[in-house]
Amino acid sequence: MTTIFDELLRAFRDYLVGRDAAPVRDFIGDMAWTMPERTLEANTLSCLRHLPRAAELAPPAEQELAGLLAGGAEMLHWGQTYTAADFGQHFIDNYGWVELFGTRGHFRNETVAAGFLILGPGVVYPDHHHVAEEIYIPLTGGAEWRMGDGDFRVRRGGEIIHHASNVNHAMRTGDEPLLALYLWRGGDLAQKSTIGAAGTQGAL
Ligand SMILES: [Fe+2]
């Protein structure tokens, strides 16, 4: 029987393989997509209410993946790295991620972690960084992303955003939610991000 987990992993693979972009190829080029499954209990979060709208907003190439996620989200083990003490209650009510595969995801992978991030409207995810190298691909356009000392700029759905190890990054949403997929490799794949600019003391 094909489960939502299998379907998501297949759609995730098909989407990334279809992108044919250098940083993505570098991450997944020699990846074994047959990964042992890990049984995780469903854990829902308030931010899942934004998924139907995110699936509507997704451009054609991102529709299948966003739609599958929206349809099966209640079965998945959603998590949060932060608490209200970090960025406030509005952030916590509008933020969450799920690891599809990795050291703690629905499938086991010790070298690459991957999953999805949701941010609801009107959210600022302040500067943070982590040892892991990261690729984000927004499945919805319109959110603003900042990297290093650069300015915030609007990214389209399907753009590839590559953060090198320990490079600072931040996101902020306007009137619409953000749904993005992510890939992580290097360092501790379950590391909590460090908040604040790189080089000061302050993961996904
Ligand atoms: Fe990150």
Side-chain angles (χ1 to χ4, degrees), residues 62-138:
E62 285 71 32
Q63 280 273 331
E64 189 204 6
L65 193 52
L68 267 179
L69 184 70
E74 304 259 317
M75 305 280 291
L76 302 176
H77 187 81
W78 292 86
Q80 296 181 319
T81 307
Y82 304 106
T83 68
D86 291 309
F87 304 136
Q89 191 60 43
H90 177 74
F91 185 92
I92 292 304
D93 292 342
N94 288 279
Y95 148 83
W97 51 264
V98 61
E99 187 172 290
L100 181 58
F101 58 85
T103 56
R104 54 189 168 163
H106 287 277
F107 294 89
R108 295 176 189 274
N109 194 307
E110 297 301 318
T111 52
V112 179
F116 301 93
L117 170 75
I118 298 170
L119 293 181
V123 168
V124 176
Y125 189 163
D127 279 336
H128 60 286
H129 60 277
H130 37 75
V131 172
E133 177 189 3
E134 174 178 66
I135 290 175
Y136 266 115
I137 305 179

Side-chain angles (χ1 to χ4, degrees), residues 8-22:
L8 266 177
L9 186 61
R10 180 206 48 81
F12 200 94
R13 179 198 64 204
D14 289 353
Y15 178 73
L16 288 180
V17 169
R19 293 311 311 268
D20 195 30

Side-chain angles (χ1 to χ4, degrees), residues 128 130 134 136 163 169 184 193 203-204:
H128 60 286
H130 37 75
E134 174 178 66
Y136 266 115
H163 299 139
H169 46 284
W184 263 41
S193 294
L204 215 62

Side-chain angles (χ1 to χ4, degrees), residues 9 16 34 48 55 58 86 102 104 115 126 128 133 144 171 173-175 180-181 189:
L9 186 61
L16 288 180
T34 307
L48 301 193
D86 291 309
R104 54 189 168 163
H128 60 286
E133 177 189 3
E144 294 179 299
M171 304 83 124
T173 52
D175 293 339
L181 74 74
L189 293 179

